[in-house]
Amino acid sequence: RLFFGGMIADESFTILQTVATEMRNMFHTVAFIESNSTGSHQHRNFRFPPGSKRRSVLNKLYGDNTTVTVDYVIVVDRAKNYIKSLDKLSTMRQQIMMEHQLRQQVLERWQRNGMRLDDVAIFGDADEMFTRDFLRALQTCDVPEFRVGQDCKRPKILGRAQVFEGSPECIVGNNFKLWKPDALVGECVDGIGDKNIHPPPKRMWGRQNFRAPGHGYDENYDDYFASHGSKAISNGQKMYPLWTPADMRGVAGGRQTPKEITAFHLHNFFSSGQEIRDKYSKYAENLPRAKAVPLGLIHEDISLSIACLYGTKDLGKSRKLEAGGFESVDAAYTPILYQDEAFRKFDHSRFRKLVLKDETDYGHAIGSCENWNCDGCNPRACDFKNISSYRPPG
């Protein structure tokens, strides 16, 4: 049986429908967590509250054979109390750790919904998923990582995800693929597997967060075995810690198919320019300029999609567009809905309308990491010299 878990916030129904079509009637449980706070501790209203029309639609997207749940996390106004152990960390690290604390709730839902040792846990975001064919392969093939008796050292099957940026026609090329999502057998999931033979590791900043150095961080377990001794040995075999959502997202320990596309990531698929601005100003990136500058000067990823829309040369340093758009890739490895040309045109039209409306209010520009003096890892360190094109609002 397949179990999915992840966060949900402001993803458009276009994204949810595209992802749900791959998953439809294949999953036992689809478990979402929604919070009333953004990563930068700004209040947000629940988008899928109980009894709402949106929640009703969400429940039906994944098929009659799938249980869809949304568990709600209410963050108190005094955010420092909620993450008091993180006070000395940078703002970005606080936001990441807060996400891990929220994601931990997925484990409790999986437990309540009856996950077993031989079930497959898939953890990701609402805008990413394995292709339907690969999901079926995970269910039916003899996958070594899913056999009984795992030591849980490297239990993950990692997606090789094609990235779509803003539109089905805007594909990140230059052989750029994300290692998302993650799948592992229930035997290695924290709260499902046997903690008596997989003792818990020491963690940084609380039990929901990253493993400490020597306890699995960067795959070094020297201190873990020194601490637990024979407790981490079963039938003469070393046994490694069980995996939390923080581990699934941030710890190396698995394999990825070497060539074939097995997953996809639909990045920045929104219904309005304001939703894009809210993401980059209120969530993990927390970029103040997102409230005022043209879309193409907020972040390299958005600049890439704007260049795609206008058919101009992208200037990205770390990411490049796939020349030729959707027609240049093998449709067999794309989302099922994208194999319908009418749907692709509809969704690309959504993106075009979004951009044109936003440019009326904020103007048009296309920038890049090279002329921003940043490489994506430090998107705040920007200057706006040598921008390839600019038009004022209006």
Side-chain angles (χ1 to χ4, degrees), residues 120-124 129-130 134-135 137-139 141-147 150 153-160 178-185 188 243 248-249 251-258 262-263:
V120 175
I122 296 175
F123 197 89
M129 183 44 60
F130 293 109
F134 195 72
L135 288 171
L138 292 178
Q139 281 189 313
C141 295
D142 177 18
V143 181
E145 287 84 352
F146 297 166
R147 295 171 186 166
Q150 295 292 319
K153 181 181 182 180
R154 298 179 59 83
K156 295 194 296 183
I157 297 295
L158 304 161
R160 181 173 170 82
L178 286 182
W179 298 63
K180 294 182 178 182
D182 306 290
L184 67 162
V185 71
C188 292
W243 290 64
M248 297 177 204
R249 295 298 277 184
V251 175
R255 67 183 174 98
Q256 182 189 53
T257 55
T262 61

mmCIF file of all heavy atoms in Angstrom, residues 120-124 129-130 134-135 137-139 141-147 150 153-160 178-185 188 243 248-249 251-258 262-263:
data_model
loop_
_atom_site.group_PDB
_atom_site.id
_atom_site.type_symbol
_atom_site.label_atom_id
_atom_site.label_comp_id
_atom_site.label_asym_id
_atom_site.label_seq_id
_atom_site.Cartn_x
_atom_site.Cartn_y
_atom_site.Cartn_z
ATOM 1 N N VAL A 120 4.561 1.415 1.776
ATOM 2 C CA VAL A 120 5.546 2.335 1.215
ATOM 3 C C VAL A 120 5.144 3.768 1.560
ATOM 4 O O VAL A 120 4.026 4.197 1.242
ATOM 5 C CB VAL A 120 5.670 2.171 -0.305
ATOM 6 C CG1 VAL A 120 6.612 3.232 -0.888
ATOM 7 C CG2 VAL A 120 6.187 0.781 -0.644
ATOM 8 N N ALA A 121 6.045 4.490 2.206
ATOM 9 C CA ALA A 121 5.817 5.885 2.579
ATOM 10 C C ALA A 121 6.474 6.795 1.548
ATOM 11 O O ALA A 121 7.651 6.635 1.235
ATOM 12 C CB ALA A 121 6.399 6.160 3.963
ATOM 13 N N ILE A 122 5.711 7.733 1.018
ATOM 14 C CA ILE A 122 6.235 8.713 0.070
ATOM 15 C C ILE A 122 6.037 10.092 0.673
ATOM 16 O O ILE A 122 4.918 10.484 1.006
ATOM 17 C CB ILE A 122 5.526 8.614 -1.299
ATOM 18 C CG1 ILE A 122 5.807 7.250 -1.931
ATOM 19 C CG2 ILE A 122 5.983 9.746 -2.219
ATOM 20 C CD1 ILE A 122 5.067 7.010 -3.228
ATOM 21 N N PHE A 123 7.146 10.785 0.837
ATOM 22 C CA PHE A 123 7.076 12.114 1.441
ATOM 23 C C PHE A 123 7.530 13.148 0.426
ATOM 24 O O PHE A 123 8.555 12.987 -0.233
ATOM 25 C CB PHE A 123 7.957 12.193 2.690
ATOM 26 C CG PHE A 123 7.615 13.368 3.558
ATOM 27 C CD1 PHE A 123 6.646 13.241 4.538
ATOM 28 C CD2 PHE A 123 8.217 14.599 3.369
ATOM 29 C CE1 PHE A 123 6.301 14.329 5.325
ATOM 30 C CE2 PHE A 123 7.871 15.679 4.144
ATOM 31 C CZ PHE A 123 6.915 15.544 5.130
ATOM 32 N N GLY A 124 6.744 14.221 0.293
ATOM 33 C CA GLY A 124 7.095 15.269 -0.660
ATOM 34 C C GLY A 124 6.242 16.493 -0.447
ATOM 35 O O GLY A 124 5.563 16.633 0.580
ATOM 36 N N MET A 129 5.591 14.650 -7.552
ATOM 37 C CA MET A 129 5.152 13.261 -7.425
ATOM 38 C C MET A 129 5.917 12.401 -8.419
ATOM 39 O O MET A 129 6.405 12.868 -9.446
ATOM 40 C CB MET A 129 3.644 13.152 -7.684
ATOM 41 C CG MET A 129 3.048 11.746 -7.505
ATOM 42 S SD MET A 129 3.588 10.816 -6.037
ATOM 43 C CE MET A 129 3.058 11.898 -4.717
ATOM 44 N N PHE A 130 6.014 11.103 -8.091
ATOM 45 C CA PHE A 130 6.496 10.127 -9.055
ATOM 46 C C PHE A 130 5.470 9.999 -10.183
ATOM 47 O O PHE A 130 4.282 10.243 -9.992
ATOM 48 C CB PHE A 130 6.663 8.750 -8.390
ATOM 49 C CG PHE A 130 7.752 8.676 -7.364
ATOM 50 C CD1 PHE A 130 7.462 8.568 -6.017
ATOM 51 C CD2 PHE A 130 9.085 8.697 -7.749
ATOM 52 C CE1 PHE A 130 8.463 8.479 -5.068
ATOM 53 C CE2 PHE A 130 10.101 8.614 -6.808
ATOM 54 C CZ PHE A 130 9.790 8.502 -5.462
ATOM 55 N N PHE A 134 5.907 4.793 -12.554
ATOM 56 C CA PHE A 134 6.915 4.477 -11.540
ATOM 57 C C PHE A 134 6.245 4.099 -10.222
ATOM 58 O O PHE A 134 6.740 3.226 -9.496
ATOM 59 C CB PHE A 134 7.858 5.662 -11.345
ATOM 60 C CG PHE A 134 9.119 5.307 -10.610
ATOM 61 C CD1 PHE A 134 10.108 4.553 -11.224
ATOM 62 C CD2 PHE A 134 9.321 5.701 -9.294
ATOM 63 C CE1 PHE A 134 11.272 4.199 -10.550
ATOM 64 C CE2 PHE A 134 10.485 5.366 -8.613
ATOM 65 C CZ PHE A 134 11.463 4.611 -9.242
ATOM 66 N N LEU A 135 5.118 4.740 -9.899
ATOM 67 C CA LEU A 135 4.374 4.353 -8.699
ATOM 68 C C LEU A 135 3.937 2.887 -8.797
ATOM 69 O O LEU A 135 4.031 2.131 -7.827
ATOM 70 C CB LEU A 135 3.142 5.242 -8.523
ATOM 71 C CG LEU A 135 3.399 6.685 -8.083
ATOM 72 C CD1 LEU A 135 2.114 7.501 -8.167
ATOM 73 C CD2 LEU A 135 3.964 6.734 -6.659
ATOM 74 N N ALA A 137 5.396 0.599 -10.515
ATOM 75 C CA ALA A 137 6.602 -0.223 -10.384
ATOM 76 C C ALA A 137 6.983 -0.391 -8.911
ATOM 77 O O ALA A 137 7.396 -1.485 -8.485
ATOM 78 C CB ALA A 137 7.757 0.405 -11.167
ATOM 79 N N LEU A 138 6.855 0.675 -8.122
ATOM 80 C CA LEU A 138 7.156 0.581 -6.694
ATOM 81 C C LEU A 138 6.251 -0.427 -6.006
ATOM 82 O O LEU A 138 6.656 -1.108 -5.059
ATOM 83 C CB LEU A 138 7.007 1.957 -6.026
ATOM 84 C CG LEU A 138 8.018 3.041 -6.419
ATOM 85 C CD1 LEU A 138 7.695 4.351 -5.693
ATOM 86 C CD2 LEU A 138 9.438 2.614 -6.115
ATOM 87 N N GLN A 139 5.008 -0.522 -6.489
ATOM 88 C CA GLN A 139 4.048 -1.446 -5.881
ATOM 89 C C GLN A 139 4.275 -2.895 -6.294
ATOM 90 O O GLN A 139 4.036 -3.810 -5.492
ATOM 91 C CB GLN A 139 2.624 -1.054 -6.280
ATOM 92 C CG GLN A 139 2.041 0.115 -5.506
ATOM 93 C CD GLN A 139 0.562 0.293 -5.807
ATOM 94 O OE1 GLN A 139 0.151 0.284 -6.968
ATOM 95 N NE2 GLN A 139 -0.244 0.442 -4.772
ATOM 96 N N CYS A 141 7.103 -4.330 -8.352
ATOM 97 C CA CYS A 141 8.437 -4.900 -8.599
ATOM 98 C C CYS A 141 9.118 -5.317 -7.298
ATOM 99 O O CYS A 141 8.757 -4.864 -6.209
ATOM 100 C CB CYS A 141 9.316 -3.897 -9.338
ATOM 101 S SG CYS A 141 8.742 -3.483 -10.999
ATOM 102 N N ASP A 142 10.114 -6.172 -7.426
ATOM 103 C CA ASP A 142 10.938 -6.561 -6.279
ATOM 104 C C ASP A 142 11.986 -5.486 -6.062
ATOM 105 O O ASP A 142 13.042 -5.477 -6.707
ATOM 106 C CB ASP A 142 11.597 -7.918 -6.545
ATOM 107 C CG ASP A 142 12.515 -8.342 -5.409
ATOM 108 O OD1 ASP A 142 12.396 -7.786 -4.292
ATOM 109 O OD2 ASP A 142 13.375 -9.218 -5.645
ATOM 110 N N VAL A 143 11.693 -4.549 -5.169
ATOM 111 C CA VAL A 143 12.592 -3.438 -4.872
ATOM 112 C C VAL A 143 13.452 -3.827 -3.667
ATOM 113 O O VAL A 143 12.914 -4.060 -2.579
ATOM 114 C CB VAL A 143 11.798 -2.150 -4.573
ATOM 115 C CG1 VAL A 143 12.750 -0.981 -4.286
ATOM 116 C CG2 VAL A 143 10.861 -1.810 -5.743
ATOM 117 N N PRO A 144 14.771 -3.926 -3.814
ATOM 118 C CA PRO A 144 15.614 -4.361 -2.693
ATOM 119 C C PRO A 144 15.400 -3.544 -1.420
ATOM 120 O O PRO A 144 15.438 -4.097 -0.311
ATOM 121 C CB PRO A 144 17.034 -4.185 -3.243
ATOM 122 C CG PRO A 144 16.879 -4.349 -4.725
ATOM 123 C CD PRO A 144 15.550 -3.743 -5.054
ATOM 124 N N GLU A 145 15.162 -2.246 -1.576
ATOM 125 C CA GLU A 145 14.984 -1.374 -0.400
ATOM 126 C C GLU A 145 13.674 -1.642 0.333
ATOM 127 O O GLU A 145 13.492 -1.158 1.456
ATOM 128 C CB GLU A 145 15.038 0.097 -0.828
ATOM 129 C CG GLU A 145 16.427 0.600 -1.194
ATOM 130 C CD GLU A 145 16.807 0.285 -2.634
ATOM 131 O OE1 GLU A 145 16.059 -0.462 -3.319
ATOM 132 O OE2 GLU A 145 17.843 0.781 -3.085
ATOM 133 N N PHE A 146 12.762 -2.411 -0.290
ATOM 134 C CA PHE A 146 11.472 -2.681 0.341
ATOM 135 C C PHE A 146 11.371 -4.108 0.901
ATOM 136 O O PHE A 146 10.327 -4.503 1.424
ATOM 137 C CB PHE A 146 10.330 -2.465 -0.657
ATOM 138 C CG PHE A 146 10.197 -1.040 -1.165
ATOM 139 C CD1 PHE A 146 9.401 -0.759 -2.268
ATOM 140 C CD2 PHE A 146 10.859 0.003 -0.544
ATOM 141 C CE1 PHE A 146 9.261 0.536 -2.740
ATOM 142 C CE2 PHE A 146 10.746 1.306 -1.009
ATOM 143 C CZ PHE A 146 9.944 1.577 -2.113
ATOM 144 N N ARG A 147 12.453 -4.881 0.792
ATOM 145 C CA ARG A 147 12.418 -6.240 1.315
ATOM 146 C C ARG A 147 12.433 -6.235 2.848
ATOM 147 O O ARG A 147 12.897 -5.290 3.479
ATOM 148 C CB ARG A 147 13.612 -7.033 0.787
ATOM 149 C CG ARG A 147 13.588 -7.249 -0.724
ATOM 150 C CD ARG A 147 14.901 -7.846 -1.210
ATOM 151 N NE ARG A 147 14.953 -7.943 -2.676
ATOM 152 C CZ ARG A 147 16.056 -8.161 -3.372
ATOM 153 N NH1 ARG A 147 17.223 -8.342 -2.719
ATOM 154 N NH2 ARG A 147 16.025 -8.207 -4.686
ATOM 155 N N GLN A 150 15.298 -4.683 6.705
ATOM 156 C CA GLN A 150 16.155 -3.559 6.339
ATOM 157 C C GLN A 150 16.996 -3.083 7.528
ATOM 158 O O GLN A 150 16.533 -3.069 8.660
ATOM 159 C CB GLN A 150 15.296 -2.388 5.839
ATOM 160 C CG GLN A 150 14.544 -2.661 4.562
ATOM 161 C CD GLN A 150 15.458 -2.806 3.368
ATOM 162 O OE1 GLN A 150 16.422 -2.059 3.222
ATOM 163 N NE2 GLN A 150 15.170 -3.776 2.506
ATOM 164 N N LYS A 153 19.929 1.973 6.690
ATOM 165 C CA LYS A 153 21.014 2.925 6.484
ATOM 166 C C LYS A 153 20.756 3.800 5.257
ATOM 167 O O LYS A 153 20.889 5.025 5.316
ATOM 168 C CB LYS A 153 22.346 2.190 6.325
ATOM 169 C CG LYS A 153 23.530 3.135 6.123
ATOM 170 C CD LYS A 153 24.848 2.369 5.954
ATOM 171 C CE LYS A 153 26.014 3.343 5.804
ATOM 172 N NZ LYS A 153 27.308 2.612 5.632
ATOM 173 N N ARG A 154 20.409 3.181 4.142
ATOM 174 C CA ARG A 154 20.151 3.908 2.894
ATOM 175 C C ARG A 154 18.844 3.385 2.293
ATOM 176 O O ARG A 154 18.846 2.725 1.252
ATOM 177 C CB ARG A 154 21.308 3.724 1.912
ATOM 178 C CG ARG A 154 22.644 4.264 2.415
ATOM 179 C CD ARG A 154 23.767 4.041 1.396
ATOM 180 N NE ARG A 154 23.471 4.693 0.119
ATOM 181 C CZ ARG A 154 23.699 5.980 -0.137
ATOM 182 N NH1 ARG A 154 24.206 6.762 0.825
ATOM 183 N NH2 ARG A 154 23.417 6.492 -1.309
ATOM 184 N N PRO A 155 17.702 3.697 2.914
ATOM 185 C CA PRO A 155 16.445 3.049 2.523
ATOM 186 C C PRO A 155 15.650 3.773 1.448
ATOM 187 O O PRO A 155 14.641 3.245 0.976
ATOM 188 C CB PRO A 155 15.654 3.052 3.838
ATOM 189 C CG PRO A 155 16.075 4.341 4.496
ATOM 190 C CD PRO A 155 17.546 4.505 4.145
ATOM 191 N N LYS A 156 16.072 4.958 1.025
ATOM 192 C CA LYS A 156 15.215 5.768 0.173
ATOM 193 C C LYS A 156 15.353 5.425 -1.314
ATOM 194 O O LYS A 156 16.449 5.151 -1.801
ATOM 195 C CB LYS A 156 15.537 7.260 0.356
ATOM 196 C CG LYS A 156 15.230 7.809 1.734
ATOM 197 C CD LYS A 156 15.247 9.327 1.757
ATOM 198 C CE LYS A 156 16.594 9.914 1.454
ATOM 199 N NZ LYS A 156 16.588 11.392 1.549
ATOM 200 N N ILE A 157 14.218 5.478 -2.002
ATOM 201 C CA ILE A 157 14.196 5.526 -3.457
ATOM 202 C C ILE A 157 13.899 6.981 -3.818
ATOM 203 O O ILE A 157 12.875 7.539 -3.407
ATOM 204 C CB ILE A 157 13.114 4.606 -4.048
ATOM 205 C CG1 ILE A 157 13.414 3.155 -3.702
ATOM 206 C CG2 ILE A 157 13.014 4.803 -5.559
ATOM 207 C CD1 ILE A 157 14.683 2.623 -4.334
ATOM 208 N N LEU A 158 14.794 7.607 -4.555
ATOM 209 C CA LEU A 158 14.684 9.033 -4.858
ATOM 210 C C LEU A 158 14.178 9.243 -6.275
ATOM 211 O O LEU A 158 14.613 8.576 -7.214
ATOM 212 C CB LEU A 158 16.065 9.695 -4.714
ATOM 213 C CG LEU A 158 16.740 9.512 -3.350
ATOM 214 C CD1 LEU A 158 18.225 9.775 -3.454
ATOM 215 C CD2 LEU A 158 16.115 10.424 -2.332
ATOM 216 N N GLY A 159 13.269 10.183 -6.412
ATOM 217 C CA GLY A 159 12.788 10.519 -7.731
ATOM 218 C C GLY A 159 13.852 11.233 -8.552
ATOM 219 O O GLY A 159 14.751 11.880 -8.011
ATOM 220 N N ARG A 160 13.768 11.068 -9.846
ATOM 221 C CA ARG A 160 14.573 11.868 -10.779
ATOM 222 C C ARG A 160 13.570 12.766 -11.492
ATOM 223 O O ARG A 160 12.943 12.382 -12.480
ATOM 224 C CB ARG A 160 15.324 10.970 -11.758
ATOM 225 C CG ARG A 160 16.201 11.723 -12.760
ATOM 226 C CD ARG A 160 17.046 10.747 -13.585
ATOM 227 N NE ARG A 160 17.719 11.420 -14.692
ATOM 228 C CZ ARG A 160 18.853 12.100 -14.586
ATOM 229 N NH1 ARG A 160 19.437 12.206 -13.410
ATOM 230 N NH2 ARG A 160 19.406 12.668 -15.637
ATOM 231 N N LEU A 178 15.717 17.270 -10.162
ATOM 232 C CA LEU A 178 15.662 17.266 -8.708
ATOM 233 C C LEU A 178 15.583 15.845 -8.162
ATOM 234 O O LEU A 178 15.043 14.949 -8.797
ATOM 235 C CB LEU A 178 14.433 18.051 -8.229
ATOM 236 C CG LEU A 178 14.480 19.572 -8.345
ATOM 237 C CD1 LEU A 178 13.197 20.175 -7.781
ATOM 238 C CD2 LEU A 178 15.689 20.151 -7.621
ATOM 239 N N TRP A 179 16.103 15.659 -6.951
ATOM 240 C CA TRP A 179 16.058 14.362 -6.273
ATOM 241 C C TRP A 179 14.802 14.308 -5.405
ATOM 242 O O TRP A 179 14.875 14.203 -4.177
ATOM 243 C CB TRP A 179 17.311 14.171 -5.424
ATOM 244 C CG TRP A 179 18.584 14.167 -6.204
ATOM 245 C CD1 TRP A 179 19.103 15.189 -6.941
ATOM 246 C CD2 TRP A 179 19.502 13.088 -6.333
ATOM 247 N NE1 TRP A 179 20.288 14.826 -7.523
ATOM 248 C CE2 TRP A 179 20.565 13.516 -7.164
ATOM 249 C CE3 TRP A 179 19.531 11.784 -5.837
ATOM 250 C CZ2 TRP A 179 21.634 12.703 -7.502
ATOM 251 C CZ3 TRP A 179 20.608 10.979 -6.164
ATOM 252 C CH2 TRP A 179 21.643 11.433 -6.991
ATOM 253 N N LYS A 180 13.638 14.384 -6.033
ATOM 254 C CA LYS A 180 12.374 14.400 -5.307
ATOM 255 C C LYS A 180 11.365 13.562 -6.071
ATOM 256 O O LYS A 180 11.457 13.430 -7.295
ATOM 257 C CB LYS A 180 11.847 15.836 -5.183
ATOM 258 C CG LYS A 180 12.691 16.770 -4.342
ATOM 259 C CD LYS A 180 12.016 18.135 -4.270
ATOM 260 C CE LYS A 180 12.787 19.098 -3.389
ATOM 261 N NZ LYS A 180 12.115 20.390 -3.272
ATOM 262 N N PRO A 181 10.308 13.074 -5.346
ATOM 263 C CA PRO A 181 10.168 12.962 -3.894
ATOM 264 C C PRO A 181 10.962 11.770 -3.355
ATOM 265 O O PRO A 181 11.822 11.233 -4.051
ATOM 266 C CB PRO A 181 8.657 12.762 -3.718
ATOM 267 C CG PRO A 181 8.230 12.068 -4.972
ATOM 268 C CD PRO A 181 9.122 12.594 -6.071
ATOM 269 N N ASP A 182 10.655 11.353 -2.122
ATOM 270 C CA ASP A 182 11.361 10.262 -1.468
ATOM 271 C C ASP A 182 10.382 9.141 -1.107
ATOM 272 O O ASP A 182 9.283 9.412 -0.619
ATOM 273 C CB ASP A 182 12.032 10.740 -0.176
ATOM 274 C CG ASP A 182 12.932 11.945 -0.405
ATOM 275 O OD1 ASP A 182 13.974 11.771 -1.031
ATOM 276 O OD2 ASP A 182 12.570 13.050 0.046
ATOM 277 N N ALA A 183 10.784 7.903 -1.332
ATOM 278 C CA ALA A 183 9.965 6.745 -0.953
ATOM 279 C C ALA A 183 10.803 5.786 -0.120
ATOM 280 O O ALA A 183 11.979 5.557 -0.417
ATOM 281 C CB ALA A 183 9.428 6.034 -2.199
ATOM 282 N N LEU A 184 10.203 5.239 0.931
ATOM 283 C CA LEU A 184 10.886 4.222 1.732
ATOM 284 C C LEU A 184 9.858 3.314 2.378
ATOM 285 O O LEU A 184 8.685 3.676 2.526
ATOM 286 C CB LEU A 184 11.813 4.836 2.774
ATOM 287 C CG LEU A 184 11.238 5.635 3.935
ATOM 288 C CD1 LEU A 184 12.285 5.754 5.039
ATOM 289 C CD2 LEU A 184 10.821 7.021 3.516
ATOM 290 N N VAL A 185 10.280 2.130 2.775
ATOM 291 C CA VAL A 185 9.382 1.142 3.335
ATOM 292 C C VAL A 185 9.022 1.512 4.768
ATOM 293 O O VAL A 185 9.812 2.125 5.501
ATOM 294 C CB VAL A 185 10.027 -0.261 3.260
ATOM 295 C CG1 VAL A 185 11.198 -0.388 4.251
ATOM 296 C CG2 VAL A 185 8.997 -1.348 3.470
ATOM 297 N N CYS A 188 11.244 1.325 7.964
ATOM 298 C CA CYS A 188 12.286 2.305 8.282
ATOM 299 C C CYS A 188 11.719 3.675 8.653
ATOM 300 O O CYS A 188 12.476 4.643 8.816
ATOM 301 C CB CYS A 188 13.239 2.452 7.100
ATOM 302 S SG CYS A 188 14.252 0.988 6.800
ATOM 303 N N TRP A 243 13.562 6.854 10.187
ATOM 304 C CA TRP A 243 13.574 8.113 9.431
ATOM 305 C C TRP A 243 12.336 8.964 9.710
ATOM 306 O O TRP A 243 11.209 8.495 9.587
ATOM 307 C CB TRP A 243 13.676 7.801 7.942
ATOM 308 C CG TRP A 243 15.023 7.243 7.564
ATOM 309 C CD1 TRP A 243 15.570 6.070 7.984
ATOM 310 C CD2 TRP A 243 16.000 7.856 6.711
ATOM 311 N NE1 TRP A 243 16.827 5.902 7.459
ATOM 312 C CE2 TRP A 243 17.118 6.975 6.654
ATOM 313 C CE3 TRP A 243 16.033 9.041 5.978
ATOM 314 C CZ2 TRP A 243 18.256 7.259 5.913
ATOM 315 C CZ3 TRP A 243 17.166 9.320 5.222
ATOM 316 C CH2 TRP A 243 18.256 8.447 5.198
ATOM 317 N N MET A 248 13.898 12.348 5.741
ATOM 318 C CA MET A 248 13.502 12.022 4.367
ATOM 319 C C MET A 248 13.837 13.157 3.411
ATOM 320 O O MET A 248 14.230 12.932 2.269
ATOM 321 C CB MET A 248 12.005 11.708 4.317
ATOM 322 C CG MET A 248 11.584 10.494 5.118
ATOM 323 S SD MET A 248 9.785 10.252 5.086
ATOM 324 C CE MET A 248 9.531 9.321 6.598
ATOM 325 N N ARG A 249 13.695 14.396 3.897
ATOM 326 C CA ARG A 249 13.924 15.552 3.040
ATOM 327 C C ARG A 249 15.374 16.016 3.033
ATOM 328 O O ARG A 249 15.830 16.624 2.059
ATOM 329 C CB ARG A 249 13.039 16.723 3.479
ATOM 330 C CG ARG A 249 11.565 16.481 3.327
ATOM 331 C CD ARG A 249 11.156 16.253 1.883
ATOM 332 N NE ARG A 249 10.957 17.485 1.150
ATOM 333 C CZ ARG A 249 10.518 17.548 -0.101
ATOM 334 N NH1 ARG A 249 10.248 16.437 -0.748
ATOM 335 N NH2 ARG A 249 10.368 18.692 -0.704
ATOM 336 N N VAL A 251 18.439 14.193 4.581
ATOM 337 C CA VAL A 251 19.568 13.312 4.874
ATOM 338 C C VAL A 251 19.832 12.412 3.675
ATOM 339 O O VAL A 251 18.909 11.812 3.116
ATOM 340 C CB VAL A 251 19.289 12.453 6.129
ATOM 341 C CG1 VAL A 251 20.417 11.449 6.356
ATOM 342 C CG2 VAL A 251 19.116 13.344 7.353
ATOM 343 N N ALA A 252 21.098 12.321 3.280
ATOM 344 C CA ALA A 252 21.465 11.412 2.196
ATOM 345 C C ALA A 252 21.283 9.976 2.671
ATOM 346 O O ALA A 252 21.507 9.658 3.835
ATOM 347 C CB ALA A 252 22.910 11.652 1.773
ATOM 348 N N GLY A 253 20.882 9.109 1.747
ATOM 349 C CA GLY A 253 20.705 7.720 2.131
ATOM 350 C C GLY A 253 19.744 6.982 1.230
ATOM 351 O O GLY A 253 18.680 6.561 1.667
ATOM 352 N N GLY A 254 20.108 6.838 -0.035
ATOM 353 C CA GLY A 254 19.229 6.134 -0.958
ATOM 354 C C GLY A 254 19.826 6.106 -2.350
ATOM 355 O O GLY A 254 20.993 6.414 -2.553
ATOM 356 N N ARG A 255 18.994 5.744 -3.319
ATOM 357 C CA ARG A 255 19.472 5.697 -4.697
ATOM 358 C C ARG A 255 18.424 6.271 -5.645
ATOM 359 O O ARG A 255 17.228 6.296 -5.342
ATOM 360 C CB ARG A 255 19.836 4.275 -5.111
ATOM 361 C CG ARG A 255 18.671 3.304 -5.200
ATOM 362 C CD ARG A 255 19.148 1.907 -5.547
ATOM 363 N NE ARG A 255 18.051 0.942 -5.507
ATOM 364 C CZ ARG A 255 17.380 0.533 -6.591
ATOM 365 N NH1 ARG A 255 17.698 1.025 -7.792
ATOM 366 N NH2 ARG A 255 16.401 -0.346 -6.482
ATOM 367 N N GLN A 256 18.890 6.707 -6.772
ATOM 368 C CA GLN A 256 18.063 7.309 -7.803
ATOM 369 C C GLN A 256 18.316 6.572 -9.108
ATOM 370 O O GLN A 256 19.454 6.223 -9.412
ATOM 371 C CB GLN A 256 18.417 8.801 -7.952
ATOM 372 C CG GLN A 256 17.596 9.561 -8.974
ATOM 373 C CD GLN A 256 18.153 10.958 -9.203
ATOM 374 O OE1 GLN A 256 19.330 11.124 -9.493
ATOM 375 N NE2 GLN A 256 17.309 11.967 -9.060
ATOM 376 N N THR A 257 17.266 6.321 -9.880
ATOM 377 C CA THR A 257 17.478 5.693 -11.179
ATOM 378 C C THR A 257 18.395 6.581 -12.009
ATOM 379 O O THR A 257 18.266 7.796 -11.996
ATOM 380 C CB THR A 257 16.143 5.496 -11.912
ATOM 381 O OG1 THR A 257 15.456 6.740 -11.998
ATOM 382 C CG2 THR A 257 15.278 4.489 -11.188
ATOM 383 N N PRO A 258 19.352 6.000 -12.724
ATOM 384 C CA PRO A 258 20.427 6.803 -13.318
ATOM 385 C C PRO A 258 20.047 7.632 -14.532
ATOM 386 O O PRO A 258 20.657 8.658 -14.782
ATOM 387 C CB PRO A 258 21.472 5.735 -13.710
ATOM 388 C CG PRO A 258 20.677 4.484 -13.909
ATOM 389 C CD PRO A 258 19.559 4.551 -12.906
ATOM 390 N N THR A 262 11.593 9.791 -13.514
ATOM 391 C CA THR A 262 10.644 9.005 -12.722
ATOM 392 C C THR A 262 9.678 9.876 -11.945
ATOM 393 O O THR A 262 8.798 9.350 -11.252
ATOM 394 C CB THR A 262 11.395 8.110 -11.718
ATOM 395 O OG1 THR A 262 12.164 8.936 -10.830
ATOM 396 C CG2 THR A 262 12.327 7.145 -12.440
ATOM 397 N N ALA A 263 9.831 11.216 -12.035
ATOM 398 C CA ALA A 263 8.996 12.106 -11.225
ATOM 399 C C ALA A 263 8.951 13.477 -11.892
ATOM 400 O O ALA A 263 9.623 13.724 -12.895
ATOM 401 C CB ALA A 263 9.554 12.212 -9.805
#
